Amino acid sequence: AGVFDQEVAGDGIYLSQDGGLNWEQITKENFADAHVTDISIAQEDRQTVFAATTNYGMLRTRNGGESWEQINQGLMMRHGARSVAVHPGNPEIVYAGIAFGGIYRSDNGGESWQNSSAGLNPEANISDLICDPTNPNILYAADLFSGVYRSSDE
């Protein structure tokens, strides 16, 4: 995740199993050119990983990266996904930050999404999402243009 240029091909997702000494690309087939902007691992099921990308939207693996799938049903994206957060106590609750589209929430592990941007600018560019580790019902969202928001109403 970090700074990227849409004109340069993305390079997918890599995994290290030796503390970062060696890396292997794990999005080899369908998403090898993904522009990844954020990754979140489900704490309750470490095999379930979500990735926000600018060119494929939201991706998910349920088998530790062996295979990946797009999970964009209900997302309104013009410029891709920027951020993702998984509820620490319930891997079925996932939040997606959409470029110029606000925040979306899934209650079924990413199968479908509902807009959850009440109180935000409808064109919010959510660059980061974090569930508070001491109270996972609190969500923090960083908008590139207007600052940081806090939601405590799940």
Side-chain angles (χ1 to χ4, degrees):
V3 178
F4 60 90
D5 181 344
Q6 282 295 132
E7 301 301 316
V8 176
D11 202 24
I13 299 172
Y14 285 73
L15 172 68
S16 174
Q17 297 190 38
D18 59 9
L21 295 174
N22 297 288
W23 294 87
E24 175 188 0
Q25 188 185 47
I26 58 173
T27 49
K28 294 178 183 167
E29 295 169 13
N30 296 334
F31 308 109
D33 64 341
H35 280 258
V36 180
T37 53
D38 200 9
I39 294 175
S40 189
I41 301 170
Q43 292 181 17
E44 297 287 318
D45 175 10
R46 309 292 288 169
Q47 295 295 302
T48 300
V49 180
F50 296 87
T53 73
T54 60
N55 53 343
Y56 291 108
M58 295 299 298
L59 302 178
R60 176 185 64 200
T61 180
R62 290 195 185 264
N63 54 20
E66 298 269 333
S67 60
W68 292 85
E69 61 184 325
Q70 275 183 291
I71 51 169
N72 295 323
Q73 182 178 340
L75 293 177
M76 298 298 172
M77 290 185 297
R78 295 187 309 258
H79 304 284
R82 296 277 187 212
S83 54
V84 59
V86 181
H87 188 287
N90 183 349
E92 293 298 305
I93 300 175
V94 185
Y95 300 94
I98 304 302
F100 304 103
I103 299 171
Y104 284 77
R105 176 182 165 141
S106 174
D107 291 320
N108 54 15
E111 292 297 320
S112 62
W113 300 89
Q114 301 79 38
N115 190 295
S116 186
S117 299
L120 294 177
N121 177 336
E123 293 289 312
N125 193 349
I126 304 301
S127 60
D128 201 8
L129 290 166
I130 298 174
C131 289
D132 186 320
T134 61
N135 182 352
N137 292 324
I138 295 176
L139 179 70
Y140 293 93
D143 180 355
L144 285 174
F145 304 114
S146 62
V148 176
Y149 294 85
R150 177 183 183 268
S151 173
S152 59
D153 59 1
E154 193 179 345

